Amino acid sequence: KRGVGGEGPSLPLPPWHVWGCWCATPVWCFSRLEEHAGGGACAELLSEEPVPLADCCLNPAYGYKLRPQGHCHTCRSGAWGPWGPWTGCSVTCGEGTQRRGRSRSPTGDEDRRGWELRACHLPCCPEPGGWTSWSPWGSCSVTCGAGTQRRGRACADPAPSCGGGLRPRGARGNPPAPAVGGSWGPWGPWGSCSGSCRGSGQSPSRSRSRRCDSPPPSLEPPGAACTGAGTETEPCPGLPPCPEDGAWGAWSEATPCSVTCGLGVVRLRRACDAPPPRHGGRGCPGNSTQRALCGPHGPCPVVHWGPWGSWTPCEQRPWGAMSCQAMVGRQRRTRQCVGHRAGGPPCPTEDGIGTIQLRACYNIHHCLLPGNWSDWSPWGLCTPPCGASPTRKRIRECRPTYPAFPLTVTSVGSPTPINVTFWGSPRPRCPLLDGQHLRVEEERPCLHVLPCPAPHERLLPL
């Protein structure tokens, strides 16, 4: 089902589609990918109905799902999709592990999943306490007639920890608990009314509830349940008469297709004016706009900036390198516009930066500098994420103390200050730490490791 725009011409598929039968796989197609702290997601669904994978991925910037609630994949050939959410911790208390995965767009390789494993910590595990032995009987409270004697014991064998109570019934010296009857807690707030106005038929009402939890009846031995009703209902007070609701008018004509390549959408609009809401009536339910697919219009050109190359050495012509001195030099780096063809769309500029980037610099490459030891880094991920005995590491590094050179300068004839950055890899000098000059590393095993995913989960996208 294509929607507005028709079937479109029969066009050759991008090269990465030829590896298997995934071209005709029905998918849910999205025009935007989002990254966030908890993982990644597809956004802006093109159609409520699935479309062939080949049609969706005519535009490499799109994403897709194999099922509505499934994992989000990218259409860009050979690119990793966004990370999925972390699994729950492998333990309910103490230290365990959790894993997350992401998929690689179809390339013909068998393994198209990546995994990460990390440690997780939950509050300490409750441990119940136990009774000590009874103490000897004490002296009688009287010297003649009927009196009493006392003896005692303590919940200290062992003492409860982390919120634990007594050990289960049957532990040494633990008497049976008495039955506890339930009592009602306070009434909760009144809920919403079942209607917003008074009209013909049944009058709208509202209700509130309470719970038998102050305390709840004991389970062993069974305690008596609360008596009376747990809910209460009454007519809604002060409701106005029912107003007249609005109704939708006819749909407008479709807008032009949103794209000239791949799949796009058209939009239709309608107004709540047949009739409009009156006398405080409700507006029309549903959406005032509707989207439908258009295209496909053929593959989209992949035009994007490649990565920046390395910075050239920091030099000052005609003197060349000026290492370890407060002399301002210049350096540059370049990048390429990937996929650009003559007459085709160019790469977009970012803040006026095209293929060349320049900056002012101080050359501190291989300079001897005083250093200080950093704090411990956060613990890294558990590696290997799917293998035997994963471990995690943290490090401390000897970091250089940079010279107090000016970080901004002004050039002749221009009052605008220019930022200056340090370039190069200096050689810091720190006092010995655990017998090391530059780096100290600590490693520990990951506990309660989750089992590795099944083979079919590793080979196929979610």
Side-chain angles (χ1 to χ4, degrees):
K1 181 177 179 180
R2 300 293 181 134
V4 178
E7 291 289 329
S10 176
L11 295 170
L13 299 176
W16 63 269
H17 284 82
V18 301
W19 67 278
C21 62
W22 283 91
C23 297
T25 301
V27 298
W28 280 261
C29 191
F30 297 82
S31 62
R32 188 159 56 89
L33 302 178
E34 292 180 344
E35 294 276 358
H36 48 77
C42 289
E44 296 185 6
L45 178 66
L46 286 181
S47 172
E48 298 295 333
E49 298 294 330
V51 300
L53 175 58
D55 287 351
C56 179
C57 285
L58 287 170
N59 191 325
Y62 283 8
Y64 65 92
K65 293 182 180 181
L66 293 178
R67 57 178 183 271
Q69 305 302 321
H71 189 71
C72 180
H73 307 274
T74 176
C75 281
R76 188 174 297 280
S77 176
W80 285 107
W83 284 107
W86 290 101
T87 64
C89 198
S90 61
V91 296
T92 56
C93 56
E95 181 177 328
T97 56
Q98 53 188 164
R99 179 178 283 111
R100 68 177 180 176
R102 61 177 177 176
S103 297
R104 194 177 183 90
S105 62
T107 61
D109 300 331
E110 289 188 353
D111 191 357
R112 298 189 300 278
R113 291 303 302 271
W115 301 97
E116 284 187 343
L117 183 73
R118 72 179 182 185
C120 51
H121 301 269
L122 296 175
C124 61
C125 303
E127 293 290 341
W131 291 109
T132 61
S133 301
W134 287 104
S135 66
W137 287 105
S139 302
C140 190
S141 61
V142 297
T143 57
C144 60
T148 58
Q149 289 178 288
R150 294 180 180 273
R151 63 176 181 174
R153 60 181 177 175
C155 182
D157 187 23
S161 62
C162 294
L166 289 174
R167 285 185 172 174
R169 191 174 178 181
R172 181 180 62 178
N174 192 19
V180 177
S183 294
W184 290 112
W187 285 105
W190 287 105
S192 301
C193 285
S194 59
S196 58
C197 63
R198 289 182 288 106
S200 59
Q202 187 177 2
S203 176
S205 61
R206 64 179 183 175
S207 62
R208 62 179 181 175
S209 61
R210 57 181 177 175
R211 302 178 66 177
C212 185
D213 59 359
S214 296
S218 59
L219 299 177
E220 184 62 34
C226 296
T227 59
T231 59
E232 186 178 43
T233 303
E234 70 172 13
C236 292
L239 291 179
C242 289
E244 297 181 22
D245 298 335
W248 291 112
W251 288 103
S252 67
E253 294 184 0
T255 60
C257 191
S258 60
V259 298
T260 57
C261 62
L263 285 178
V265 293
V266 295
R267 289 177 171 82
L268 299 89
R269 301 182 182 278
R270 59 180 177 176
C272 186
D273 58 0
R278 290 177 289 185
H279 311 301
R282 291 175 297 181
C284 299
N287 299 321
S288 61
T289 61
Q290 187 179 52
R291 292 152 45 100
L293 287 179
C294 55
H297 301 292
C300 295
V302 182
V303 179
H304 63 92
W305 285 112
W308 284 105
S310 301
W311 287 102
T312 60
C314 184
E315 298 178 340
Q316 187 183 73
R317 296 181 180 181
W319 299 281
M322 54 311 167
S323 298
C324 314
Q325 304 178 50
M327 297 176 62
V328 179
R330 296 290 185 271
Q331 55 186 161
R332 58 182 285 174
R333 64 178 181 176
T334 60
R335 61 179 177 177
Q336 299 295 323
C337 182
V338 180
H340 175 65
R341 297 177 181 178
C347 284
T349 58
E350 301 169 359
D351 298 329
I353 301 175
T355 58
I356 301 175
Q357 192 173 25
L358 305 173
R359 70 178 183 182
C361 56
Y362 295 118
N363 190 330
I364 58 170
H365 194 50
H366 291 167
C367 297
L368 291 176
L369 298 178
N372 291 295
W373 286 103
S374 68
D375 294 332
W376 283 109
S377 69
W379 284 104
L381 297 171
C382 297
T383 57
C386 281
S389 305
T391 59
R392 54 189 178 131
K393 297 180 181 180
R394 63 176 183 174
I395 62 171
R396 293 184 71 180
E397 294 181 313
C398 178
R399 296 178 178 174
T401 300
Y402 288 94
F405 297 164
L407 298 182
T408 57
V409 296
T410 55
S411 60
V412 177
S414 175
T416 304
I418 301 173
N419 294 327
V420 188
T421 185
F422 290 96
W423 173 85
S425 300
R427 293 183 290 173
R429 290 292 181 264
C430 291
L432 278 176
L433 179 64
D434 293 340
Q436 301 296 321
H437 284 286
L438 297 177
R439 179 186 174 101
V440 177
E441 187 175 280
E442 185 177 0
E443 180 176 351
R444 67 172 53 175
C446 294
L447 306 179
H448 305 290
V449 178
L450 291 169
C452 287
H456 71 276
E457 294 178 319
R458 298 181 64 188
L459 296 180
L460 294 178
L462 291 176

